[in-house]
Amino acid sequence: MRILQLTNSDASHTTGVAEGERSYRIAQRMLAEASGEDVETVLRVIWPSPDLPDIVDRWMDRYAPDVVVFHINGYWYLYQSVPLKLERKLGRWGRPLSSAGFGMGRNRIAETTLFQRIRTLLVRTIGGDYYFTPKEVISTVDACVRRILAHEGTTLMVRGNLLGWSEGAQGAEAEVHRAVSRLAAELHFTFLARDPREPVAGQDLYQSGDRLHASGAVHLLFGEREGQALVEAWNHAHGVSGVSAVFTSR
């Protein structure tokens, strides 16, 4: 059995988490044990650009997966980027500053307490921009999901946020959650996500490193929830009774 994980940088980011302890490996083992089949996972990092549906379609043809896990990354529409705001506001004049900011965010400097304090101060003073709006994310997810399900026999799980972001992000998170929940009910795929009406929780698990990528504890939490949902989705697709096609985790 082959799983195509359409995922984020957590899959390859060096965080001190052993390969076998990453969330997708945990979920893969759970599905292998439940199905009694050998399972392999293909990882592809995605970004919700306009051409993503076409890219996903090509990957479906290339890898012919039995199972697809599509991650809706909260970073796309819930993370305030100061460099992005500078680039959009100042145009070419802001590009040197934004390039420097993006560069620091991608290296070890981003893991220091000083960097995190400066970033917090900048967000509070000059603010940051979001990469995409909730509506843009919803539109891209809708198009990708329909491309995936056009390949008959594919089991699909869409994974949203499993831990909360900031209190101020709950409106946007709820908008995406509602839209994808409706889509899951319409097209009969599994949607795994926290209920955004619940209080924001889990931020204490992101107090090390760059505050964006998962620690070992987060990989374990995500892997077990994802594995459970995959097993339920797989059982439902293969006629095991008593399993809902739409599964929402709190």
Side-chain angles (χ1 to χ4, degrees):
M1 186 194 316
R2 177 176 293 158
I3 303 172
L4 175 60
Q5 282 262 6
L6 303 175
T7 184
N8 55 48
S9 57
D10 254 346
S12 58
H13 185 74
T14 302
T15 60
V17 180
E19 174 66 21
E21 296 173 0
R22 293 182 181 273
S23 59
Y24 75 92
R25 290 294 191 191
I26 294 169
Q28 175 182 302
R29 287 195 296 270
M30 291 175 69
L31 183 57
E33 181 178 349
S35 67
E37 298 187 28
D38 292 332
V39 179
E40 66 169 324
T41 301
V42 176
L43 298 175
R44 287 294 176 268
V45 175
I46 57 173
W47 188 251
S49 55
D51 60 346
L52 182 60
D54 289 335
I55 294 171
V56 168
D57 217 4
R58 291 196 294 271
W59 285 339
M60 292 297 295
D61 289 334
R62 178 177 178 182
Y63 299 111
D66 304 285
V67 179
V68 177
V69 180
F70 186 101
H71 293 234
I72 302 174
N73 189 354
Y75 184 84
W76 298 344
Y77 68 104
L78 298 175
Y79 180 79
Q80 290 182 283
S81 171
V82 175
L84 182 64
K85 180 169 185 175
L86 292 173
E87 183 176 299
R88 287 175 173 173
K89 190 175 182 64
L90 302 177
R92 67 188 181 91
W93 301 108
R95 284 173 195 159
L97 290 173
S98 65
S99 295
F102 286 130
M104 286 189 291
R106 287 191 289 265
N107 63 37
R108 290 289 185 180
I109 296 174
E111 299 182 6
T112 64
T113 301
L114 178 61
F115 177 91
Q116 294 301 326
R117 287 177 178 172
I118 292 173
R119 183 190 177 277
T120 299
L121 177 63
L122 290 174
V123 170
R124 288 175 178 172
T125 54
I126 67 175
D129 273 6
Y130 301 100
Y131 287 94
F132 298 93
T133 66
K135 286 183 172 55
E136 288 170 332
V137 170
I138 291 164
S139 176
T140 300
V141 171
D142 185 297
C144 289
V145 161
R146 293 179 188 278
R147 296 288 188 95
I148 292 166
L149 293 177
H151 295 256
E152 293 185 9
T154 303
T155 298
L156 171 64
M157 182 180 81
V158 174
R159 200 192 90 179
N161 298 321
L162 299 185
L163 295 175
W165 282 67
S166 66
E167 294 289 350
Q170 284 179 293
E173 187 179 9
E175 183 178 349
V176 172
H177 189 277
R178 286 192 300 269
V180 180
S181 294
R182 289 193 296 267
L183 191 64
E186 175 192 347
L187 300 180
H188 307 291
F189 61 83
T190 298
F191 179 39
L192 175 68
R194 68 178 289 272
D195 187 335
R197 294 171 297 183
E198 298 287 330
V200 170
Q203 294 307 296
D204 57 312
L205 296 173
Y206 281 94
Q207 294 308 306
S208 62
D210 61 5
R211 313 299 197 268
L212 286 173
H213 291 94
S215 64
V218 176
H219 274 282
L220 177 61
L221 175 67
F222 287 178
E224 289 181 344
R225 290 188 182 179
E226 190 173 299
Q228 178 191 356
L230 279 178
V231 169
E232 293 195 20
W234 180 259
N235 286 341
H236 177 81
H238 290 78
V240 178
S241 61
V243 179
S244 172
V246 179
F247 175 81
T248 302
S249 170
R250 295 185 183 182

